[in-house]
Each structure stands twice: as C-alpha cells, then as structure tokens.
DNA sequence: GAGAGGTTTGTTTTT
DNA sequence: CAAACCTCTC
C-alpha cells in the first residue's frame, strides 16, 4: 500500500494513514520518487503544520536525495505564506517589513481597540473578543459577515465593529497576525490572478501532511494552488484531528472525495509501531467516537505487557510512581531515559514531574512550556528590533518606551497616545515630534528626543552589525542589563540566561545557510519558528521527554506514560459540555496512546492542586471506555486509599487480599462534594442565574443550569453535571457564604 | 513616576 | 501558584 501511494503521482490522492502506518515514510519516498521521474525539485511543494515536521521531512529527504532537496519548498502553511507575502505584499498596501503579531500582541491591540470604543471590558473581555475574531478569520468571515449574522444582538455587532477596527489597525500599522498570513495570501491570489499564476504553474506537485488539521482558509489556499496541475496528495487520519479549536475542520478530509475529481484513496492500516495490545486498547477507546470513517489498525508486533494502569492518591505521587517505573525499567531492561515520554494534557501538569526528576537526579527534557519567545525579556528585546524594522509597530513601541525605566511613565505616554490618535500618526512619529505634543512636560520631551536619537543610532548600526551584535548593543546601551541587576538573584540569573540564549539563537540564525541573514529575516523566524531551546538542561546524554500530547503528535517512544487521566483534566472541564469536544478529547487520548511502541502506561490521581487549591478528581471516562481486558496493574504497588481497590480488582485478576469490599471505584462519585465554590464566590455579590446559563466560571465543575427558583441571595438552581453521569443536583446560594449541595 | 505591598484572577491544546 | 492588576506612599 505504501508503494502504491508513493507511485500514484498524477491527480488527486488521499492517503488515510493510521497512526504508525509509515506516513512520513510515504511522503519522503514519494518526493524521492518524483525526483527520480525527472521532476524538477522547484516544482514540488510539501506543506506541514509544525516546523518540527517540516525539519524532519527535510532532513529525511536530504538523506535520500542529497542537495537536490534544497530547491524543494518544504514548509509550514505559515512560513510558506510569509515567503510569498514578503515578495508580493506591497501591491496590497502593506510594507514588506510587516510585523507578525503573536497571540499576545494581538490581544494587546484588541484591548486597546475595546478601550478606544469606550466599551466595558467586563462585558467585552479581551479573551472573548479575540476568540470571536480568531474564529471568524479561521472561517474566512469578514466584519460585515459578522454584522449580517448578529441580527438584534448588540454584543455581536460590537464584536464585529472591534473586528473591523482591528483590520484597519493592522493595515495602518503594517502588522499581520497568524491568520492574516494565510488569509492575505488568499486575498492576494484572488485579487491578483497574475500572481496566483506564477505559483500555481510552478507547483506541479503538492503534498499536504496532517490534512485533517486544515481549516477553512488553509483548505482554500490548497485549492487555489493545486487548481492548475491538480496533482495533489493529501495525507491524514480523521482519528488524529486534534486542532478543531484552531478552526481545523475534519470534514475537509471526510469530504475530500467530493471536493476533487477522480480521487484515488489509499488506506494504510498496518501499524509498524505499537504492539497488538496497545492497538487493541486504543481501538476500543476510539470506537466510542461517531465522527469517523472507521478503520482497522493491525500489526505483526507481539505484545510485551498489557497496558499498565497506575493509580495514585495525589498528583505528586503520580509523578513519583511514574519515575519509579522509569527507573525500574531502565534497570531491568535495556532502555535509556531518552526512550521514555511522559505526556499530559496541559503544560501546567509538567511541574510535578520536573520536581520529582530534580529530586531523584533523573535527567529530563521539557518540550514547550512557557515558550521561549513569550518570555518577558525576550519579547522586550524583540520589540526593540521590531520598532527598528517597522516604526509603525505601536504595540512594540508601547512595550519598550519605558523599558528599562527611563522616566517616561503612564501619564506622559497617555499624552503621546492621545496626540497620536488625534493626528492619526504612529507613536514613533509622535515621539519624533515630541515638542508638538500638548501638555507633555519638558523633561518628558527631552526623554522622548533622547529615545528617538538612540533608536536612530541603532538603526544605523543595523547596516554594519549582525543581529547578535545588535542585540548585544541594545541590551547594553539601553541599560536593560543594568536594570536586571536590581532583581533578586534567581530571577536575574534566569533572565540573563534567556538573553544569552537569544544571542545564541541569533548567532545560529546567522550561520544558517538558507537564511536571509538579515534582521527582518530573523524577526520572521522569531515569530514563526519555535526555538528548540533546552533551558538550563544542557547536560548531555539521554533524558526523559516531558511534553503535552499535542506536542507529541507525530512522535513515537518505546515507553509512554499518559498521565492525569481524570475528569476535568482529561477530558478537560471545558470539553465536557459538548459531544464534539468530547470526541476531540478522545482523539487526543488516542493520539497519546498510539505514541507507544512497547509499553503504554495510563495514570490518574485522586487529588490534585489546581489554582493553588486541592481538588478531588474522578478517574477519566476514557479509562472506563478502554476494554479492561487489555489493562493490568503497575509493577510497583501504588500507595492508595481504600476506595480504588474495587476498581483495581476489576481490572486485575490478582486481587489484593485484604481489599475492602466496595462498589466499583470508577462508578462511584468522589468522596468530597464535587460542587465547591471558588474562593472568590464567597466574596462576590450574588448574582441571578438564568436557566440555560453556563456557570462553570462561578462554581467549579458545574455544567448547564436547568432551572432556577428564587432570586438574589436565595436561589435554588438545578444543574446538570456531565461528569457524574447526568445526575441532577440542587445548588442553593446561601447568602454570601458558599454553595451547598 | 517608581516601587512596595496587597488583591484578584485565571488554564487547554499552537502557527 | 503565579502573574496581572490595583492602591498607596514617597
């Protein structure tokens, strides 16, 4: 089947590639095959979602065909679009040195726009508005489209207005967010067909990886690009779609047959990665999903152990049990730390594992986490660089005008902002003309002039300094490094290290062969490429891999620990109200399970600290959905409180002798009341609930309100709990004290 | 305007 | 538990 997929080069091809079925292999061999058929490397375009995947594919192709690989476009959707836009965007009124806004930057802009409109930020929280805008952009809707669907809804119209402001802002300040990269490329192609022709004639053969993760605009882009030659090969697996929150639309892959003519479909169902039990367990889980075509993964690989269940009392103990098992396996088997992966749903869960690793001296590698580029000191320095490249970039300017402290505080800056709004100028322009700003103090004017002089001086330096040298100069000349000295030792050291790391990243960039080696190019990398940084973990040798399940996609490890399998964590609270979201969580669980080659561990804890508060969690429904036949208990006995034993007995034929009799643990409700007020509920003035209202933010772990009786401080609310199997509870708000069952 | 100190609020997942 | 936010004093 793989060979057939490699050699079917003409027309539209859909490869349904189950987990571990050799997807990457097919893609790389296919490229090699095309080259061997005499196709020019320049006419091949391979698109992936992550930089990691692109780099992986590049190096594998390079290994096979050597330097010919250089001319093939292998990139992510986003970097491909940047590459095109950098060349062509000027016909659309943008500067080619545009700034790329990350989620954080874009929220700052939106926050300001909400304020400018005089809207209440309680009714219009930035996160909510930006989510709406993001969703609209993913589905290629314009502000007008939003107005059209808003009807009588004032909120909807206001969001549409902010959206329109946002678009105007970006055009004026030459900034693009991640969605714009794709959407503007489409707009460019549609409005300037002569540009589209260049690209669609060039790319004779197009390959798209992880097709199930494409959203509306990515779909559109592919359609445009493949519309000339029509040789489009997409690879994907509907069971591994885990990005719907980013607009990914699984129906893109499910409807591929209808969307293109004469589609050839090839299913890869043989798995070359995992043992049979792991596949059986994963299959039994995913069969609970309805949105799938269904496929039957099989393998010739024999099973070692059943899937191993680890039950724990606390999250900390979960980490200890996991690390103990890692130790045991490294001692008994021929395995090193690098062959283990600990996966979790959210980054916040990494903490306990890090702690235990540190305590026990076990080396680990943390993937992701607080991302390098979003650290404060890194963003500060990048903001300096951005202003040098794009003086219209107000967000960055606002960030650095008083960082490090130079006596230009909020009052002075507010005056600059007001004046800028009045004259419709960028902040940088206003600062250049500081004397003209009304009410600005003499001292502030002087500071502004000095600042501009300094920036202009930096700008001259860009001519003859490399990026790393420039960064070095900036942190010294601005006094940024000096200001770090005021911080407590630990923090200072960490920030300092990060800055040094940034300089290293810049040096590496300067060395890269295919890079532009300019400041502009560096900033694009900074926005799009995640530094594969290994903060303070420089020791060589194999290390345990810690990462989210999302980050593990496409990877494989001999031993995998899938942790935190608890209701409210995995599936997360926010996913428990809709069937669609639940299915996605289930797919995520499936992805996690199928990363394992030899042994798969599943673990949960009864107690976990969340928001600095202890919570009691029921084991995840996913544990219940996996056929118990494929599960066994851990090698090391976990410390447990009495209740779970019943469940252990259910899955483990070797009973613990003095296990107290009790109903099945998985089916029982937790000991503590699942309805607990958050600490702030006590203080907040009681508000009136409405039927149908979502009050999860007010009371932890609660779903839909079904019925309300009474009002004010004496309400009775009937609520449906998705986590406890649709039982009904009555919640009574007793004055300002707390919520009672 | 800066900084200390207290208070509130929030968490998926990523380009 | 942290980071963001707010308030008060110098």
């Amino acid at each position: 089947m793989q060979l057939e997929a490699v050699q079917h080069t003409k027309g539209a091809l859909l490869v349904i590639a189950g987990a571990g079925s050799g997807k990457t292999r097919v893609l790389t061999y296919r490229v090699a095959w095309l080259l061997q058929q005499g196709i020019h490397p320049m006419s091949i375009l391979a698109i992936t979602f992550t930089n990691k995947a692109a780099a992986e594919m590049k190096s594998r192709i390079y290994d096979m065909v050597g330097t010919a690989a250089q001319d093939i476009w292998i990139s992510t959707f986003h970097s491909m679009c940047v590459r095109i836009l950098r060349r062509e965007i000027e016909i659309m009124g943008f500067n080619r040195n545009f700034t790329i806004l990350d989620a954080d930057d874009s929220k700052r802009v939106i926050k300001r726009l909400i304020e400018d409109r005089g809207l209440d930020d309680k009714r219009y929280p930035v996160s909510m508005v930006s989510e709406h805008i993001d969703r609209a952009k993913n589905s290629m809707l314009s502000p007008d489209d939003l107005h059209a669907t808003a009807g009588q809804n004032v909120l909807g119209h206001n969001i549409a207005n902010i959206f329109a402001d946002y678009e105007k802002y970006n055009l004026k300040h030459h900034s693009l967010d991640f969605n714009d990269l794709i959407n503007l490329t489409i707009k460019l192609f549609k409005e300037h067909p002569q540009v589209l022709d260049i690209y669609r004639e060039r790319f004779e053969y197009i390959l798209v990886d992880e097709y199930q993760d494409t959203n509306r605009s990515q779909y559109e882009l592919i359609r445009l690009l493949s519309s000339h030659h029509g040789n489009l090969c997409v690879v994907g697996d509907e069971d591994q779609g885990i990005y719907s929150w980013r607009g990914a639309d699984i129906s893109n892959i499910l409807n591929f047959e209808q969307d293109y003519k004469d589609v050839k479909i090839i299913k890869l169902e043989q798995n070359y990665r995992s043992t049979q039990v792991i596949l059986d367990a994963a299959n039994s889980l995913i069969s609970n999903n309805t949105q799938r075509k269904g496929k039957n993964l099989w393998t010739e690989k024999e099973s070692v152990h059943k899937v191993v269940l680890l039950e724990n009392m606390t999250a900390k103990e979960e980490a200890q049990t996991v690390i103990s098992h890692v130790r045991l396996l490294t001692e008994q088997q021929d395995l090193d730390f690098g062959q283990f992966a600990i996966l979790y749903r959210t980054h916040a869960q990494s903490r306990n594992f890090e702690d235990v690793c540190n305590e026990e001296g076990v080396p680990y590698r943390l993937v992701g986490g607080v991302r390098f580029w979003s650290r404060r000191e890194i963003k500060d320095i990048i903001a300096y660089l951005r202003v040098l490249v794009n003086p219209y970039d107000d967000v960055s300017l606002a960030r650095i005008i008083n960082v490090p402290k130079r006596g230009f505080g909020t009052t002075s800056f507010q005056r600059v902002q007001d004046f800028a709004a009045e004259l419709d100028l960028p902040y940088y322009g206003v600062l250049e003309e500081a004397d003209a700003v009304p009410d600005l103090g003499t001292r502030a004017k002087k500071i502004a002039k000095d600042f501009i002089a300094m920036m202009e001086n930096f700008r001259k330096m860009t001519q003859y300094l490399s990026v790393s040298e420039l960064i070095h100069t900036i942190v010294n000349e601005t006094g940024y490094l000096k200001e770090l000295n005021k911080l407590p030792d630990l923090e200072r050291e960490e920030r300092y290290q990060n800055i040094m790391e940034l300089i290293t990243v810049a040096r590496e960039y300067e060395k890269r062969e295919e890079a532009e080696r300019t400041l502009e190019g560096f900033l694009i990398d900074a926005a799009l490429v995640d530094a594969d940084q290994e903060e303070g973990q420089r020791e060589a040798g194999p290390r345990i891999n810690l990462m989210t399940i999302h980050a593990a996609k496409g990877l494989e490890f001999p031993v995998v620990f899938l942790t935190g399998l608890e209701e409210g964590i995995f599936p997360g609270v926010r996913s428990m109200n809709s069937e669609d979201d639940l299915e996605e969580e289930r797919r995520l669980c499936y992805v996690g399970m199928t990363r394992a080659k030899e042994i798969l561990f599943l673990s949960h804890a009864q107690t976990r600290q969340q928001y600095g508060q202890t919570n009691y969690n029921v084991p995840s429904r996913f544990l219940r959905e996996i056929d118990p036949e494929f599960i066994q208990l851990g090698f090391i006995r976990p410390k447990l409180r009495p209740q779970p034993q019943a469940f252990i007995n259910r899955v483990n034929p070797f009973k613990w002798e003095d296990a107290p009799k009790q109903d099945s643990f998985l089916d029982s409700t937790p000991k503590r009341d699942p309805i607990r007020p958050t600490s702030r509920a006590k203080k907040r003035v009681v508000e009136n609930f409405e039927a149908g209202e979502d009050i999860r933010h007010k009371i932890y772990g609660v779903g839909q309100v079904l019925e309300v009786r009474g009002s004010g401080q004496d309400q009775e609310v009937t609520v449906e709990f998705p986590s406890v199997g649709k039982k009904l509870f009555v919640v009574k708000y007793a004055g300002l004290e707390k919520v009672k069952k």
Side-chain angles (χ1 to χ4, degrees):
Chain A
M1 296 307 267
Q2 290 185 351
L3 186 67
E4 203 184 334
V6 165
Q7 295 182 338
H8 185 94
T9 55
K10 289 285 171 193
L13 172 68
L14 167 62
V15 182
I16 303 277
S21 64
K23 184 189 64 170
T24 314
R25 188 159 182 248
V26 166
L27 282 171
T28 49
Y29 274 73
R30 189 179 161 90
V31 170
W33 173 257
L34 286 172
L35 294 176
Q36 205 183 14
Q37 302 299 299
I39 308 295
H40 197 278
M42 296 247 291
S43 18
I44 301 174
L45 171 65
I47 306 175
T48 62
F49 271 82
T50 64
N51 294 296
K52 213 194 287 165
E56 165 86 8
M57 200 191 295
K58 218 176 269 178
S59 87
R60 286 182 49 175
I61 291 175
Y62 197 90
D63 288 346
M64 261 191 289
V65 304
T67 49
Q70 277 173 2
D71 291 332
I72 307 174
W73 271 36
I74 305 174
S75 66
T76 63
F77 272 102
H78 298 270
S79 52
M80 170 182 83
C81 288
V82 170
R83 217 162 146 182
I84 295 171
L85 289 174
R86 285 269 284 161
R87 217 173 292 175
E88 322 278 356
I89 201 170
E90 284 181 344
I91 36 175
M92 296 173 65
F94 279 86
N95 192 320
R96 69 184 295 275
N97 289 332
F98 52 82
T99 297
I100 301 174
L101 303 181
D102 65 17
D104 184 63
D105 302 323
S106 129
K107 278 186 185 150
R108 278 165 205 264
V109 174
I110 292 171
K111 185 172 181 195
R112 219 186 93 205
L113 297 174
I114 294 172
E115 284 164 9
D116 289 351
R117 275 198 173 261
L119 293 169
D120 177 9
D121 61 355
K122 290 278 184 295
R123 281 193 66 83
Y124 296 87
V126 185
S127 56
M128 182 270 278
V129 177
S130 80
E131 240 170 71
H132 275 272
I133 294 180
D134 199 52
R135 215 172 309 142
K137 286 189 158 196
N138 274 323
S139 335
M140 302 218 304
L141 298 172
S142 68
D144 287 342
D145 294 329
L146 290 197
H147 277 301
T149 52
Q152 299 292 316
N153 184 348
V154 183
L155 194 113
H157 284 294
N158 274 325
I159 290 173
N161 284 332
I162 301 166
F163 183 13
D165 294 347
Y166 180 65
E167 300 282 81
K168 264 183 237 146
Y169 175 95
N170 281 334
L171 180 58
K172 195 192 294 166
H173 295 88
H174 304 275
S175 51
L176 275 67
D177 66 20
F178 288 129
N179 292 315
D180 291 329
L181 296 177
I182 315 270
N183 290 353
L184 281 179
T185 307
I186 294 172
K187 191 165 174 233
L188 170 80
F189 285 163
K190 285 191 171 160
E191 290 176 3
H192 305 275
Q194 76 281 9
V195 181
L196 171 62
D197 283 342
I198 300 172
Y199 292 93
R200 68 174 177 182
E201 277 165 31
R202 168 172 174 180
F203 295 124
E204 211 173 326
Y205 292 90
I206 300 177
L207 296 84
V208 186
D209 194 10
E210 308 281 12
Y211 192 68
Q212 77 282 353
D213 287 333
T214 48
N215 62 26
R216 182 75 219 169
S217 49
Q218 288 158 340
Y219 167 88
E220 192 77 22
L221 188 63
I222 295 295
R223 254 198 108 79
L224 285 168
L225 280 173
S226 63
S227 59
H228 186 72
H229 294 287
N231 301 318
L232 172 64
C233 166
V234 305
V235 184
D237 175 4
E238 79 270 16
D239 290 334
Q240 295 189 67
I242 53 177
Y243 285 104
S244 69
W245 48 273
R246 205 171 73 187
D249 187 354
I250 231 174
S251 60
N252 284 346
I253 193 167
L254 296 176
N255 298 335
F256 187 78
E257 291 171 72
Q258 282 104 66
D259 293 342
Y260 289 87
K261 273 191 310 214
D262 303 322
V263 175
K264 166 84 179 168
I265 299 180
I266 295 175
K267 271 192 181 186
L268 305 179
E269 293 181 307
Q270 181 175 4
N271 175 298
Y272 300 91
R273 178 188 294 155
S274 311
T275 66
Q276 190 63 49
V277 228
I278 295 174
L279 290 184
D280 287 341
N283 282 335
S284 70
L285 174 80
I286 200 68
S287 65
N288 288 286
N289 270 11
T290 56
Q291 295 176 33
R292 60 194 297 255
K293 290 191 162 177
K295 67 178 136 356
N296 186 28
L297 279 189
W298 57 280
T299 180
E300 291 173 349
K301 198 162 158 180
E302 276 173 42
S303 305
V304 192
H305 292 284
K306 288 185 174 182
V307 172
V308 188
L309 177 74
L310 306 176
E311 304 207 279
N312 308 278
M313 228 165 89
T314 66
K316 176 87 184 193
E317 281 180 20
E318 176 186 46
Q320 284 161 344
T321 315
V322 166
I323 302 299
S324 305
H325 279 83
V326 172
R327 285 225 131 123
L328 188 76
L329 287 168
T330 50
E331 283 156 20
Q332 290 182 352
Q333 321 264 329
D334 190 22
L335 289 167
D336 66 49
F337 289 129
Q339 292 167 301
F340 294 84
I342 301 174
L343 309 183
Y344 34 76
R345 178 68 241 266
T346 64
H347 284 301
Q349 289 163 254
S350 71
R351 191 55 190 278
N352 284 314
F353 296 105
E354 290 181 69
D355 287 351
V356 174
C357 283
N358 288 331
E359 281 161 24
E360 310 234 337
V362 175
Y364 66 92
R365 183 172 76 110
L366 186 74
V367 178
V370 179
R371 310 188 77 73
F372 181 70
W373 298 108
S374 47
R375 304 250 158 98
R376 190 203 297 186
E377 55 280 12
I378 303 303
K379 291 214 77 164
D380 288 344
I381 296 165
I382 294 291
Y384 271 98
L385 301 178
R386 283 181 170 181
V387 172
L388 292 179
V389 168
N390 176 11
Y392 293 92
D393 187 342
D394 282 359
V395 194
S396 297
L397 190 88
R399 184 172 189 110
I400 57 171
I401 181 64
N402 202 28
V403 174
K405 305 249 158 39
R406 49 174 72 88
F408 202 88
T410 38
T411 316
S412 297
F413 190 58
Q414 187 57 52
R415 289 183 178 136
V416 170
Q417 278 178 295
D418 291 345
F419 195 61
E422 203 178 309
L423 294 192
D424 203 17
L425 281 172
Y427 300 159
Y428 196 88
V430 172
L431 289 176
E432 281 178 315
E433 305 297 332
D435 282 333
V437 180
D439 300 329
L440 196 62
T442 6
R443 195 159 153 194
K445 282 178 182 163
K446 166 103 171 45
I447 294 168
K449 277 186 227 158
D450 290 349
F451 176 77
I452 292 291
M454 179 180 73
M455 292 302 281
E456 287 306 316
N457 195 23
F458 288 147
R459 194 192 310 282
K460 276 180 216 135
M461 291 185 196
T462 58
Q463 309 288 321
Y464 51 89
L465 289 188
S466 71
V467 182
S468 58
E469 289 165 332
L470 184 67
I471 295 174
H472 199 86
T473 312
I474 289 176
V475 292
N476 280 307
E477 305 260 310
T478 57
Y480 198 94
L481 280 188
K482 221 183 247 164
E483 180 140 301
L484 285 186
N485 287 331
K486 295 184 198 153
L487 295 168
D489 285 0
L490 238 144
E491 206 180 332
R492 181 187 56 208
E493 189 51 29
E494 197 182 315
R495 300 246 174 114
Y496 183 79
Q497 288 302 334
N498 285 332
I499 293 171
M500 290 306 124
E501 181 70 28
L502 180 66
I503 293 180
T504 311
V505 172
R507 284 220 188 88
E508 273 159 21
Y509 170 78
E510 288 150 17
K511 272 188 271 171
R512 282 228 317 271
E513 278 175 35
E514 77 279 11
E516 282 182 53
R517 299 184 221 192
T518 59
L519 180 56
E520 291 82 358
F522 178 73
L523 288 175
I524 288 171
D525 265 31
L528 254 35
V529 182
D530 202 14
D532 195 14
Q533 54 107 42
E534 325 244 298
E535 34 161 331
Q537 311 162 17
R538 293 220 160 271
E539 73 259 49
R543 293 172 290 168
I544 303 184
N545 299 286
L546 302 187
M547 66 188 91
T548 62
I549 305 168
H550 282 87
K553 185 161 184 206
L555 306 178
E556 57 179 30
F557 302 92
V559 185
V560 168
F561 294 86
L562 200 53
T563 67
L565 281 153
E566 296 143 37
E567 290 290 298
I569 303 278
F570 193 17
V573 243
R574 319 167 90 91
S575 320
M576 299 203 300
N577 281 321
S578 106
E579 267 315 305
D580 284 358
D581 289 352
L582 263 174
E583 293 213 350
E584 175 144 322
E585 294 281 298
R586 196 176 284 113
R587 288 194 292 271
L588 188 58
C589 189
Y590 175 80
V591 168
M593 291 173 78
T594 51
R595 299 308 97 197
K597 294 167 82 168
E598 312 293 338
I599 316 177
L600 170 65
F601 289 85
L602 304 174
S603 80
H604 77 90
Q606 293 175 60
T607 289
R608 187 178 293 273
Q609 297 274 122
Q610 290 165 285
Y611 311 98
Q613 198 192 13
T614 305
N615 284 331
Y616 295 77
N617 295 329
V618 198
S620 170
R621 68 191 72 195
F622 299 148
L623 285 174
R624 246 176 304 178
E625 289 170 1
I626 298 169
D627 190 334
E629 189 193 330
F630 307 122
I631 300 180
Q632 69 172 72
L633 264 193
F635 310 131
I636 299 169
R637 277 187 187 186
K639 275 184 276 170
L640 277 176
R641 58 170 61 192
Q643 306 107 302
Q645 310 255 343
F647 173 65
I648 291 165
N649 291 342
R650 200 173 70 125
V651 296
N652 186 11
F654 308 102
K655 293 190 174 158
W656 288 10
E657 302 76 61
D658 28 275
K661 285 267 179 258
Q662 201 172 353
D663 290 339
S664 167
F665 173 58
L666 273 187
D667 298 333
S668 70
T669 46
K671 199 78 181 195
R672 300 289 172 96
D673 187 351
I675 321 160
R676 281 180 316 284
T678 60
S679 54
R680 37 209 173 260
K682 293 176 195 167
K683 290 178 191 166
R684 201 182 286 150
V685 177
V686 176
E687 43 198 313
N688 291 322
F689 295 127
E690 281 171 33
E693 189 182 357
D694 184 338
I695 60 172
R696 279 173 301 169
H697 301 292
K698 293 157 193 160
I699 307 172
Y700 178 78
V702 172
Q704 279 272 302
V705 177
L706 297 181
E707 200 193 334
V708 184
R709 287 175 298 276
S711 64
Q713 304 202 343
D714 197 23
Q715 296 179 73
E716 282 193 353
V717 188
T718 312
V719 183
E720 183 178 314
F721 290 83
S723 58
V724 200
K726 306 215 168 188
K727 283 176 194 169
L728 299 184
F729 288 77
V730 174
V731 179
K732 184 169 175 163
Y733 232 138
L736 294 178
E737 295 158 35
K738 60 192 247 183
V739 182
K740 276 196 251 160
K741 182 160 122 186

